[in-house]
Amino acid sequence: MTDTTDVTRDALDGAVIAVAGAAGPAGRATLKRLAEAGATVIGADADPERLAEAVDEARYAHGGATVIGDTVDLLDLHATRDWADRVEKDFGRVDGLVHLVGGWRGGASFAETDLADWELLEKLLIRTVQHTSLAFQEGLSRSDRGRYLLISAAGASKPTAGNAAYAASKAAAEAWTLALGDAFRKAGGDAGPQQAAAILVVKALVHDAMRAERPNAKFAGFTDVRQLAEAIAGVWNRPAAEVNGTRLWLTEKP
């Protein structure tokens, strides 16, 4: 039987992976998992204090791992391009961008939708995807294992009345990511894509602090952030042609 953990470690060993939105619970789990697999990890977030904590936590968990924090305003395309250029210049390559920038707003009904929610979510969930994908595409295209990974929600495929702004934002982010996947496909020609853009879909995420706050909650269908991090690392163990332009479901399809 193949040891999947060892294979994933080999696939990521020496890789350079950027993580956008690295300071949240999912980002922290991802920094640790990628560092464990032997990757150099560069996390970005708008909150320098929380980012520093996340980086220190990953370094402590995996002594000797190269984990770096970089405070970046991902709503600024120029700043995001500078970040991408800096990563490749400092480490000689860039093999992945994991997009974990999140946010949620919703209402009690469709009629009560507040368009201010859309204005916020459009920035967090769409604009940051646009900026990171545009900034990192060229670098990823130079990698023999380049991956762009978006974390999305099942609600994008089945919007509910009170979640119009959130579902529409996620759906737009998915479409943008799939367009990047098509660019990789076209660049690969007859040989097939050599890089991949893929979407990991969850119902929602859960972490230890949430369980502590609501000890009686079931969190049915939720994906633990550690499981998400494992799935993220596993994408590098699969051929680009297999995952490019696909949705990888970590929850039941709606």
Side-chain angles (χ1 to χ4, degrees), residues 191-209:
Q194 304 304 300
Q195 297 78 31
I199 301 161
L200 286 80
V201 186
V202 301
K203 175 182 178 181
L205 295 173
V206 62
H207 51 85
D208 290 343

Side-chain angles (χ1 to χ4, degrees), residues 136-176:
F136 279 87
Q137 180 194 5
E138 289 189 8
L140 294 176
S141 296
R142 287 187 281 269
S143 167
D144 58 354
R145 48 184 160 174
R147 302 287 186 272
Y148 184 96
L149 303 182
L150 172 72
I151 313 308
S152 190
S157 299
K158 191 176 181 180
T160 56
N163 276 331
Y166 178 76
S169 299
K170 282 293 190 184
E174 287 192 8
W176 190 275

Side-chain angles (χ1 to χ4, degrees), residues 10 14 42 69 71 73 80 117 121 131 164 167 181-182 191 204 209-210 222 244-245:
D10 291 342
I42 304 93
T71 305
D73 180 6
T80 309
D117 293 344
L121 294 173
H131 290 176
D182 191 54
M210 289 173 63
F222 283 38
N244 183 53

